[in-house]
Amino acid sequence: SAFTHVAFPPMPVLVFKRMPAGTLILVASGSVMTVNPERIVLKRCILSGFPYKIHRRKAVIRFMFFSREDVRYFKPVELWTKYGQSGHITDALGTHGYMKCWFDKPIKNNDTVCMSLYKRVFPRYPTGAFQLYEEGPSKLRQIRNQLDEEKMTHDPDAME
């Protein structure tokens, strides 16, 4: 996300970073997506665990959680494996985060069980840049005059 002028797709976008030496380095490139104020930006986190005991389509999974309460909290979330099976948590097992799971196909010992978690992310609001506008145009003029005075004192060519 960025705060910028209104742009419509498929406008190309180049993002540069200013280095201390004053040079610009290309950091990212792409194009503008559709202008939709109701777009939701999500961040995905994947929790992974490993089969401990397997019996056909049922398995005991460990190392995804480390407490019984966490297993119960995430019980409604769907599981998936690296080899393409999907499943769900049936019950918590013990107090150390082990869980019984049921899958649509038999899973293998070398499979990894994963759970995708999503979180909505909001763009950072740049507060420092807008403080000048809240203080009014007189503050902007004052800062511009100070910069001009500093340029005059530091640059002897500017006086000519």
Side-chain angles (χ1 to χ4, degrees):
S1 297
F3 292 98
T4 181
H5 301 288
V6 176
F8 296 99
M11 183 178 147
V13 176
L14 299 174
V15 180
F16 293 95
K17 180 179 180 181
R18 185 177 303 276
M19 300 307 289
T23 60
L24 296 175
I25 293 178
L26 180 66
V27 178
S29 65
S31 60
V32 174
M33 296 175 68
T34 60
V35 181
N36 183 1
E38 300 187 8
R39 175 181 291 122
I40 296 176
V41 180
L42 296 176
K43 181 179 179 180
R44 183 173 75 163
C45 178
I46 297 176
L47 301 179
S48 62
F50 303 98
Y52 178 62
K53 291 183 180 178
I54 299 173
H55 183 71
R56 296 185 187 146
R57 294 176 9 177
K58 293 185 281 188
V60 175
I61 309 298
R62 64 177 176 175
F63 299 139
M64 186 178 288
F65 303 109
F66 295 96
S67 70
R68 186 178 186 89
E69 292 78 27
D70 290 342
V71 175
R72 285 188 187 150
Y73 183 80
F74 289 104
K75 190 173 180 178
V77 182
E78 184 181 359
L79 301 173
W80 53 275
T81 67
K82 297 276 183 170
Y83 288 113
Q85 285 82 0
S86 63
H88 61 276
I89 301 171
T90 56
D91 195 20
L93 187 64
T95 59
H96 297 288
Y98 287 38
M99 57 188 175
K100 293 180 184 177
C101 300
W102 184 269
F103 294 92
D104 60 346
K105 297 176 190 172
I107 65 169
K108 299 179 182 179
N109 286 337
N110 60 346
D111 210 349
T112 303
V113 179
C114 301
M115 176 186 290
S116 296
L117 300 176
Y118 297 93
K119 174 184 173 183
R120 186 171 181 183
V121 179
F122 295 96
R124 291 186 185 146
Y125 191 74
T127 56
F130 294 105
Q131 287 177 353
L132 295 175
Y133 293 108
E134 293 172 0
E135 294 176 4
S138 60
K139 183 68 174 178
L140 287 173
R141 269 190 243 107
Q142 180 183 0
I143 292 172
R144 192 176 299 128
N145 290 338
Q146 286 177 352
L147 291 174
D148 289 341
E149 288 173 8
E150 288 177 12
K151 184 178 178 185
M152 293 289 226
T153 58
H154 296 298
D155 188 11
D157 294 336
M159 293 186 173
E160 295 174 355

Coordinates of all heavy atoms in Angstrom, one line a residue, residues 59 78 83 87 121 156:
A59 N -4.5 -39.7 12.2 CA -3.1 -39.5 12.6 C -3.1 -38.7 13.9 O -4.0 -37.9 14.2 CB -2.3 -38.8 11.5
E78 N -9.2 -25.6 9.1 CA -8.9 -26.8 8.2 C -7.4 -27.0 8.2 O -6.6 -26.0 8.2 CB -9.4 -26.5 6.8 CG -9.2 -27.7 5.9 CD -9.7 -27.4 4.5 OE1 -10.3 -26.3 4.2 OE2 -9.6 -28.3 3.6
Y83 N 1.5 -32.9 0.6 CA 1.2 -33.8 -0.5 C -0.3 -33.7 -1.0 O -0.7 -34.5 -1.8 CB 1.5 -35.3 -0.1 CG 3.0 -35.6 -0.1 CD1 3.6 -35.9 1.1 CD2 3.7 -35.5 -1.2 CE1 4.9 -36.1 1.2 CE2 5.1 -35.8 -1.2 CZ 5.7 -36.1 0.1 OH 7.0 -36.3 0.1
G87 N -7.7 -32.0 5.9 CA -8.3 -32.7 7.1 C -8.7 -31.7 8.1 O -8.7 -30.5 7.9
V121 N -4.2 -6.8 7.5 CA -3.1 -5.8 7.7 C -3.6 -4.5 7.2 O -4.1 -4.4 6.1 CB -1.8 -6.3 7.0 CG1 -0.7 -5.3 7.2 CG2 -1.4 -7.7 7.5
P156 N 28.2 29.6 -1.0 CA 28.6 31.0 -1.4 C 28.2 31.3 -2.8 O 28.0 32.5 -3.1 CB 30.2 30.9 -1.3 CG 30.5 29.5 -1.3 CD 29.4 28.7 -0.8

